[in-house]
Every structure is written in structure tokens, then in C-alpha cells.
């Protein structure tokens, strides 16, 4: 399937994502499982294999995990960024066009520190990954984040939330006296799941209330770009979605979290080009904030529960090698047909 067709699938999935509460929750489940992936690839997973739990490339399954992809496996097609080398003028921060300079001039500028070499995305290449259900072989211990572990050591969760949000969190045992200071959030520790729910919910509400929403959120950084306004309903959807993702990941009951407003909320944006762009940015924020929290939680509790195959260099190389092999085979055919040098 071409990259263009995959992007069309992404667009269709996004357009239907908010049709009902059930479909939106299915998407949030995917975000929790594959939070290190781009929104585009999460939508492709949702489209092709919504029940996926662990995914990796053919050689990663074979060489790293001792599992073989089944002969009848269909796989999941994802998009990986295709990058090219460019030279950027350090003064103007613009890409140097090869037609404007000679090779020698470019090399002199590079040695003088006037330009720098960078990688720039230029389209996509397709990669195929496989869910664990499409493989056989060695047993894999699929760990999850156990809510009981967190309840028994909830101080760790406080540290994670403080690192990600910059908000001071204080746990107080039931019956203890306390004095709140400044913007500190005080949580009564009941020693059960309700403490986790309150901690996550209040922290995310406080964090997003102070966050400037900008129109570029990739690479894990908020770049210096135009700030866009976020309504109270926007924040409600964002906060509820992130809280749902985190609690669902802990295996905590989330039936009391509903998204009945999701269709009307999305319809207020999706009918126009600018509105759809903003909606994508808002959904992107949901994914990025959840990703930051889950990565820190996994690190703090010593749990590795995702195979972030999108960034797996071996998988990208595998597909680039396939492309190169096809080019070499085509070139050899030309040589044979022309009875001489390669074209």
C-alpha cells in the first residue's frame, strides 16, 4: 500500500473518530498501548488491528524476541518519516539551495561554521510491523502497570507528576493536619485506588490550565510558534481523555469517565479546514501529554511495557534495504537488456 493511501486511511479514521463514545474510547486505548507513536500511526493501528497489544518488525521479533512471524500474517502498515540531508544557513535558518552555491562553496561554508548539516523530513516510507498474535515462539512476559504496586508506593507517582507538570504534590494521611502553601496540590492518601484517581485528575487539570497551546507540538517540545485559544470544553475533553488513558493503563475501572459530548465537540471543528487542523492539534496534545506521563511512570516503576517500533532503526533499515534491492535488481535488468552499462 502506498504512503498516499495510508495517509488517506489516516484522514478517514480521524474524520470518523468522534462518531460515538465507543470509537473514541477505542482510540484512547490505542494511545495508552502505543503512546510513543505518532497520532497518524495510532490511527493506522486502530484501522488495521484495533486489538493489537505488542507490535514489532519481522527481524525484531525473530532476532530480539525469538519469535517467528506466521506465514499467513497480514501485518500492520505504518508510516515512517523519510529524511534527507540538507544544509542550513545558521544566520537565516533557511535551507541552502544547491542551485545557489557550488559544491566547493558549500564545503568552505561548512568548515567555517556558516552552515550546518541537518536531516529534514521529506515524505514517508511504509514499514510493516506485526502484532504478537501474528507470531509464534518464545514466551514473552508482558508486564503491565499494576495499580496495587502504585497504591503501595504512591510517593513515586507524586514524583513523576511533579517532574512532568512542575506542580508540587503533597500526600497527607487521613486525619493528619496540614497547611497548604501557594499552588501546591494536597491529596489525602486513603491508601486505595481513589487516591490515584484524585492525584492524576487534579494534576492534569492544574497542568493544562497553565499550559500555552501552540500550533506545533512535535519532537517532545513546544516550539516558539503561535499560541491558539483553548475553550473550557476543549480542556475538559483533553483532561478527561488523558486521565482516562493513564487510569486505563493502570487497569483501574474507568466506567465513570464518559465522552458523551465528544461528537458535538468535534463537529464544532471538523467542518472547516482550520477547525480540523485545530482539532488534530488538540488530539495531538492528548497523545503527547499522556506519552510524557507514561514514559516517566514506566521508568520510575522499572516497567518496560511498550515496543516503540516506530523509532526502531533496524526496521527502517530493513525497508530501506528492500527498496535498494529492488533498485539494484531493476538496474541489473537494464544492463542485461541494453547489453552494456547501467542506465
Amino acid at each position: 500500500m502506498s504512503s498516499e493511501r495510508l495517509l488517506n486511511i489516516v484522514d478517514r479514521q480521524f474524520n470518523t473518530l468522534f462518531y460515538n463514545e465507543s470509537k473514541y474510547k477505542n482510540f484512547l486505548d490505542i494511545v495508552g498501548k502505543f503512546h510513543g507513536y505518532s497520532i497518524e500511526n495510532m490511527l493506522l493501528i486502530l484501522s488495521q488491528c484495533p486489538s493489537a497489544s505488542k507490535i514489532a518488525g519481522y527481524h525484531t521479533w525473530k532476532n530480539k524476541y525469538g519469535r517467528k512471524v506466521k506465514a499467513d500474517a497480514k501485518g500492520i502498515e505504518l508510516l515512517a518519516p523519510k529524511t534527507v540531508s540538507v544544509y542550513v544557513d545558521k544566520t537565516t535558518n533557511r535551507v541552502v539551495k544547491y542551485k545557489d552555491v557550488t559544491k566547493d562553496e558549500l564545503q568552505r561554508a561548512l568548515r567555517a561554521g556558516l552552515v550546518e548539516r541537518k536531516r529534514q523530513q521529506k515524505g514517508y516510507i511504509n514499514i510493516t510491523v506485526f502484532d504478537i498474535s501474528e507470531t509464534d515462539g518464545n514466551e514473552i512476559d508482558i508486564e503491565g502497570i499494576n495499580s496495587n504496586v502504585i497504591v503501595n508506593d504512591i510517593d513515586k507517582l507524586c514524583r513523576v507528576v511533579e517532574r512532568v507538570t512542575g506542580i508540587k504534590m503533597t500526600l497527607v494521611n487521613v486525619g493528619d493536619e496540614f497547611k497548604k502553601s501557594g499552588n501546591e496540590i494536597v491529596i489525602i492518601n486513603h491508601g486505595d485506588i481513589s487516591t490515584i484517581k484524585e492525584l492524576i485528575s487534579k494534576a492534569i487539570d492544574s497542568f493544562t490550565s497553565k499550559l500555552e497551546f501552540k500550533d506545533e507540538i512535535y519532537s517532545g517540545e513546544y516550539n516558539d510558534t503561535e499560541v491558539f485559544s483553548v475553550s473550557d470544553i476543549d480542556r475538559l475533553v483533553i483532561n478527561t481523555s488523558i486521565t482516562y488513558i493513564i487510569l486505563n493503563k493502570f487497569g483501574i475501572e474507568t466506567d465513570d469517565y464518559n465522552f458523551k459530548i465528544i461528537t458535538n465537540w468535534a463537529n464544532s471543528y471538523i467542518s472547516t479546514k482550520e477547525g480540523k487542523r485545530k482539532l488534530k492539534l488538540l488530539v495531538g496534545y492528548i497523545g503527547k501529554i499522556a506519552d510524557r506521563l507514561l514514559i516517566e511512570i514506566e521508568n520510575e516503576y522499572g516497567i518496560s511495557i511498550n515496543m516503540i517500533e516506530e523509532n526502531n532503526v533496524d526496521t527502517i533499515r530493513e525497508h530501506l534495504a528492500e527498496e535498494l534491492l529492488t533498485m539494484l535488481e531493476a538496474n541489473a535488468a537494464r544492463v542485461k537488456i541494453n547489453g552494456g552499462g547501467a542506465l
Side-chain angles (χ1 to χ4, degrees), residues 168-184:
K168 175 65 177 174
M169 310 291 297
T170 300
L171 279 174
V172 178
N173 292 324
V174 177
D176 287 355
E177 293 184 3
F178 65 89
K179 185 177 180 181
K180 183 179 176 182
S181 62
N183 296 322
E184 174 186 26

PDB file of all heavy atoms in Angstrom, residues 168-184:
ATOM      1  N   LYS A 168       3.783  21.113  42.494  1.00  0.00           N
ATOM      2  CA  LYS A 168       4.108  20.500  43.775  1.00  0.00           C
ATOM      3  C   LYS A 168       2.934  19.664  44.262  1.00  0.00           C
ATOM      4  O   LYS A 168       1.802  20.133  44.389  1.00  0.00           O
ATOM      5  CB  LYS A 168       4.444  21.591  44.808  1.00  0.00           C
ATOM      6  CG  LYS A 168       4.676  21.078  46.227  1.00  0.00           C
ATOM      7  CD  LYS A 168       5.907  20.184  46.315  1.00  0.00           C
ATOM      8  CE  LYS A 168       6.162  19.756  47.760  1.00  0.00           C
ATOM      9  NZ  LYS A 168       7.254  18.781  47.842  1.00  0.00           N
ATOM     10  N   MET A 169       3.185  18.373  44.519  1.00  0.00           N
ATOM     11  CA  MET A 169       2.153  17.455  45.004  1.00  0.00           C
ATOM     12  C   MET A 169       2.513  17.014  46.415  1.00  0.00           C
ATOM     13  O   MET A 169       3.651  16.589  46.668  1.00  0.00           O
ATOM     14  CB  MET A 169       2.060  16.225  44.098  1.00  0.00           C
ATOM     15  CG  MET A 169       1.936  16.512  42.601  1.00  0.00           C
ATOM     16  SD  MET A 169       0.373  17.252  42.137  1.00  0.00           S
ATOM     17  CE  MET A 169      -0.782  15.958  42.578  1.00  0.00           C
ATOM     18  N   THR A 170       1.566  17.109  47.322  1.00  0.00           N
ATOM     19  CA  THR A 170       1.806  16.693  48.703  1.00  0.00           C
ATOM     20  C   THR A 170       0.762  15.676  49.127  1.00  0.00           C
ATOM     21  O   THR A 170      -0.445  15.929  49.005  1.00  0.00           O
ATOM     22  CB  THR A 170       1.754  17.902  49.661  1.00  0.00           C
ATOM     23  OG1 THR A 170       2.771  18.841  49.277  1.00  0.00           O
ATOM     24  CG2 THR A 170       1.998  17.461  51.103  1.00  0.00           C
ATOM     25  N   LEU A 171       1.222  14.539  49.615  1.00  0.00           N
ATOM     26  CA  LEU A 171       0.329  13.496  50.132  1.00  0.00           C
ATOM     27  C   LEU A 171       0.192  13.645  51.635  1.00  0.00           C
ATOM     28  O   LEU A 171       1.187  13.817  52.350  1.00  0.00           O
ATOM     29  CB  LEU A 171       0.894  12.110  49.824  1.00  0.00           C
ATOM     30  CG  LEU A 171       0.667  11.524  48.428  1.00  0.00           C
ATOM     31  CD1 LEU A 171       1.440  10.224  48.289  1.00  0.00           C
ATOM     32  CD2 LEU A 171      -0.812  11.287  48.176  1.00  0.00           C
ATOM     33  N   VAL A 172      -1.052  13.586  52.100  1.00  0.00           N
ATOM     34  CA  VAL A 172      -1.320  13.700  53.530  1.00  0.00           C
ATOM     35  C   VAL A 172      -2.180  12.519  53.953  1.00  0.00           C
ATOM     36  O   VAL A 172      -3.173  12.196  53.296  1.00  0.00           O
ATOM     37  CB  VAL A 172      -2.053  15.022  53.848  1.00  0.00           C
ATOM     38  CG1 VAL A 172      -2.373  15.102  55.336  1.00  0.00           C
ATOM     39  CG2 VAL A 172      -1.226  16.211  53.407  1.00  0.00           C
ATOM     40  N   ASN A 173      -1.783  11.851  55.011  1.00  0.00           N
ATOM     41  CA  ASN A 173      -2.564  10.718  55.508  1.00  0.00           C
ATOM     42  C   ASN A 173      -3.878  11.189  56.126  1.00  0.00           C
ATOM     43  O   ASN A 173      -3.985  12.316  56.634  1.00  0.00           O
ATOM     44  CB  ASN A 173      -1.765   9.920  56.540  1.00  0.00           C
ATOM     45  CG  ASN A 173      -0.578   9.215  55.920  1.00  0.00           C
ATOM     46  OD1 ASN A 173      -0.655   8.736  54.784  1.00  0.00           O
ATOM     47  ND2 ASN A 173       0.522   9.161  56.649  1.00  0.00           N
ATOM     48  N   VAL A 174      -4.873  10.324  56.084  1.00  0.00           N
ATOM     49  CA  VAL A 174      -6.185  10.640  56.640  1.00  0.00           C
ATOM     50  C   VAL A 174      -6.047  11.012  58.120  1.00  0.00           C
ATOM     51  O   VAL A 174      -5.399  10.305  58.894  1.00  0.00           O
ATOM     52  CB  VAL A 174      -7.146   9.436  56.497  1.00  0.00           C
ATOM     53  CG1 VAL A 174      -8.499   9.753  57.146  1.00  0.00           C
ATOM     54  CG2 VAL A 174      -7.339   9.077  55.032  1.00  0.00           C
ATOM     55  N   GLY A 175      -6.627  12.149  58.485  1.00  0.00           N
ATOM     56  CA  GLY A 175      -6.600  12.582  59.883  1.00  0.00           C
ATOM     57  C   GLY A 175      -5.440  13.489  60.240  1.00  0.00           C
ATOM     58  O   GLY A 175      -5.462  14.148  61.286  1.00  0.00           O
ATOM     59  N   ASP A 176      -4.414  13.553  59.387  1.00  0.00           N
ATOM     60  CA  ASP A 176      -3.261  14.413  59.668  1.00  0.00           C
ATOM     61  C   ASP A 176      -3.600  15.872  59.365  1.00  0.00           C
ATOM     62  O   ASP A 176      -4.344  16.177  58.437  1.00  0.00           O
ATOM     63  CB  ASP A 176      -2.050  14.007  58.806  1.00  0.00           C
ATOM     64  CG  ASP A 176      -1.427  12.705  59.282  1.00  0.00           C
ATOM     65  OD1 ASP A 176      -1.878  12.183  60.311  1.00  0.00           O
ATOM     66  OD2 ASP A 176      -0.503  12.211  58.597  1.00  0.00           O
ATOM     67  N   GLU A 177      -3.023  16.764  60.162  1.00  0.00           N
ATOM     68  CA  GLU A 177      -3.200  18.187  59.903  1.00  0.00           C
ATOM     69  C   GLU A 177      -2.196  18.630  58.846  1.00  0.00           C
ATOM     70  O   GLU A 177      -1.085  18.111  58.766  1.00  0.00           O
ATOM     71  CB  GLU A 177      -2.986  18.981  61.196  1.00  0.00           C
ATOM     72  CG  GLU A 177      -4.055  18.727  62.250  1.00  0.00           C
ATOM     73  CD  GLU A 177      -3.862  19.607  63.468  1.00  0.00           C
ATOM     74  OE1 GLU A 177      -2.932  20.439  63.469  1.00  0.00           O
ATOM     75  OE2 GLU A 177      -4.641  19.457  64.425  1.00  0.00           O
ATOM     76  N   PHE A 178      -2.588  19.604  58.040  1.00  0.00           N
ATOM     77  CA  PHE A 178      -1.682  20.109  57.016  1.00  0.00           C
ATOM     78  C   PHE A 178      -2.012  21.561  56.718  1.00  0.00           C
ATOM     79  O   PHE A 178      -3.121  22.032  56.986  1.00  0.00           O
ATOM     80  CB  PHE A 178      -1.776  19.269  55.731  1.00  0.00           C
ATOM     81  CG  PHE A 178      -3.127  19.349  55.046  1.00  0.00           C
ATOM     82  CD1 PHE A 178      -3.392  20.320  54.098  1.00  0.00           C
ATOM     83  CD2 PHE A 178      -4.133  18.446  55.366  1.00  0.00           C
ATOM     84  CE1 PHE A 178      -4.630  20.393  53.477  1.00  0.00           C
ATOM     85  CE2 PHE A 178      -5.378  18.511  54.748  1.00  0.00           C
ATOM     86  CZ  PHE A 178      -5.623  19.488  53.802  1.00  0.00           C
ATOM     87  N   LYS A 179      -1.027  22.260  56.181  1.00  0.00           N
ATOM     88  CA  LYS A 179      -1.208  23.649  55.787  1.00  0.00           C
ATOM     89  C   LYS A 179      -0.760  23.797  54.342  1.00  0.00           C
ATOM     90  O   LYS A 179       0.408  23.572  54.018  1.00  0.00           O
ATOM     91  CB  LYS A 179      -0.387  24.569  56.694  1.00  0.00           C
ATOM     92  CG  LYS A 179      -0.617  26.049  56.410  1.00  0.00           C
ATOM     93  CD  LYS A 179       0.171  26.912  57.392  1.00  0.00           C
ATOM     94  CE  LYS A 179      -0.075  28.398  57.103  1.00  0.00           C
ATOM     95  NZ  LYS A 179       0.689  29.264  58.031  1.00  0.00           N
ATOM     96  N   LYS A 180      -1.694  24.164  53.484  1.00  0.00           N
ATOM     97  CA  LYS A 180      -1.396  24.296  52.056  1.00  0.00           C
ATOM     98  C   LYS A 180      -0.641  25.594  51.799  1.00  0.00           C
ATOM     99  O   LYS A 180      -0.928  26.628  52.408  1.00  0.00           O
ATOM    100  CB  LYS A 180      -2.697  24.287  51.259  1.00  0.00           C
ATOM    101  CG  LYS A 180      -2.492  24.355  49.753  1.00  0.00           C
ATOM    102  CD  LYS A 180      -3.813  24.318  49.016  1.00  0.00           C
ATOM    103  CE  LYS A 180      -3.601  24.480  47.512  1.00  0.00           C
ATOM    104  NZ  LYS A 180      -4.866  24.487  46.754  1.00  0.00           N
ATOM    105  N   SER A 181       0.338  25.523  50.872  1.00  0.00           N
ATOM    106  CA  SER A 181       1.107  26.717  50.528  1.00  0.00           C
ATOM    107  C   SER A 181       1.129  26.922  49.014  1.00  0.00           C
ATOM    108  O   SER A 181       1.345  25.976  48.261  1.00  0.00           O
ATOM    109  CB  SER A 181       2.544  26.593  51.051  1.00  0.00           C
ATOM    110  OG  SER A 181       3.203  25.490  50.460  1.00  0.00           O
ATOM    111  N   GLY A 182       0.899  28.151  48.579  1.00  0.00           N
ATOM    112  CA  GLY A 182       0.988  28.514  47.165  1.00  0.00           C
ATOM    113  C   GLY A 182       0.093  27.690  46.269  1.00  0.00           C
ATOM    114  O   GLY A 182      -1.079  27.451  46.563  1.00  0.00           O
ATOM    115  N   ASN A 183       0.687  27.233  45.147  1.00  0.00           N
ATOM    116  CA  ASN A 183      -0.052  26.446  44.159  1.00  0.00           C
ATOM    117  C   ASN A 183       0.042  24.945  44.400  1.00  0.00           C
ATOM    118  O   ASN A 183      -0.276  24.146  43.527  1.00  0.00           O
ATOM    119  CB  ASN A 183       0.469  26.763  42.743  1.00  0.00           C
ATOM    120  CG  ASN A 183       0.212  28.203  42.357  1.00  0.00           C
ATOM    121  OD1 ASN A 183      -0.832  28.753  42.685  1.00  0.00           O
ATOM    122  ND2 ASN A 183       1.166  28.815  41.662  1.00  0.00           N
ATOM    123  N   GLU A 184       0.490  24.588  45.563  1.00  0.00           N
ATOM    124  CA  GLU A 184       0.636  23.181  45.932  1.00  0.00           C
ATOM    125  C   GLU A 184      -0.716  22.463  45.878  1.00  0.00           C
ATOM    126  O   GLU A 184      -1.761  23.017  46.233  1.00  0.00           O
ATOM    127  CB  GLU A 184       1.206  23.111  47.346  1.00  0.00           C
ATOM    128  CG  GLU A 184       1.294  21.726  47.943  1.00  0.00           C
ATOM    129  CD  GLU A 184       1.727  21.775  49.403  1.00  0.00           C
ATOM    130  OE1 GLU A 184       1.489  22.815  50.061  1.00  0.00           O
ATOM    131  OE2 GLU A 184       2.290  20.783  49.871  1.00  0.00           O
TER     132      GLU A 184
END
